Amino acid sequence: MKQFVRSVAVGAAMVAAAFSVQAQVKIAYVDPLSGLQAAVGEHGLKQFQFSVETLNAKGGVLGGQKLEVVGFDNKGTPQESLVQVQKAIDSGIRYITQGNGSGAAIAISDFVSKYNERNPGKEVLFFNYAAVDPSLTNEKCSYWHYRWDANSDIKMAALT
């Protein structure tokens, strides 16, 4: 998880610098923060926030840019994920991370691709830390979607 957070932070800061974004880089964490999956989502959010706080305490990234993680509760559903991603974008956030559920990840990836096509110059990046459906990097592959976890086919091949 630490490597993932560092990768997201550096990637977000590099893109922010390229697009002349303000020094504060916000990352939307869109995962279940209520309901049956809340414990998983809350743990992930706290771990992500801790890693970002550690990076910020060391001076931030790429010339001192500070990061902030903002939690958005998708209630574990693809439909609510899209509502929360839109809220994040409306509040000025251009970096989305999600991982609990491939259904939500597929919906977010499709949404981000369509959003970016309609809004040139206001692009959003989707950092997937754990949704493992192979279609996300095969037939539904998107320039705007980055996944750090191996897909389920790769994991199954490793097990067998």
Side-chain angles (χ1 to χ4, degrees):
M1 182 63 142
K2 286 183 183 181
Q3 181 62 34
F4 166 73
V5 172
R6 285 188 186 112
S7 297
V8 169
V10 170
M14 287 172 58
V15 173
F19 287 105
S20 301
V21 175
Q22 298 176 4
Q24 183 72 3
V25 178
K26 292 185 179 185
I27 303 166
Y29 176 88
V30 181
D31 261 332
L33 301 175
S34 64
L36 296 174
Q37 297 175 323
V40 173
E42 285 288 342
H43 177 75
L45 177 60
K46 289 184 187 319
Q47 187 174 9
F48 206 108
Q49 288 171 329
F50 174 79
S51 296
V52 164
E53 288 170 12
T54 302
L55 282 170
N56 286 341
K58 293 179 181 179
V61 294
L62 296 176
Q65 293 189 56
K66 301 295 182 183
L67 303 168
E68 179 183 352
V69 178
V70 181
F72 289 86
D73 182 11
N74 73 358
K75 299 179 176 95
T77 71
Q79 299 84 0
E80 189 62 27
S81 295
L82 299 182
V83 169
Q84 298 306 314
V85 167
Q86 186 64 60
K87 283 183 182 180
I89 292 169
D90 290 346
S91 68
I93 298 173
R94 297 287 176 248
Y95 309 101
I96 310 295
T97 190
Q98 181 273 340
N100 290 304
S102 291
I106 291 168
I108 292 170
S109 183
D110 289 345
F111 177 90
V112 166
S113 292
K114 290 173 187 172
Y115 174 87
N116 289 342
E117 188 176 318
R118 291 187 310 266
N119 297 282
K122 297 180 180 179
E123 288 83 1
V124 173
L125 295 179
F126 172 36
F127 297 101
N128 167 1
Y129 69 88
V132 296
D133 189 312
S135 70
L136 286 161
T137 47
N138 290 330
E139 64 269 13
K140 291 193 167 285
C141 186
S142 167
Y143 178 79
W144 307 104
H145 169 250
Y146 301 89
R147 174 169 55 198
W148 275 268
D149 198 1
N151 71 41
S152 57
D153 290 344
I154 293 169
K155 290 180 180 188
M156 186 55 71
L159 288 172
T160 57

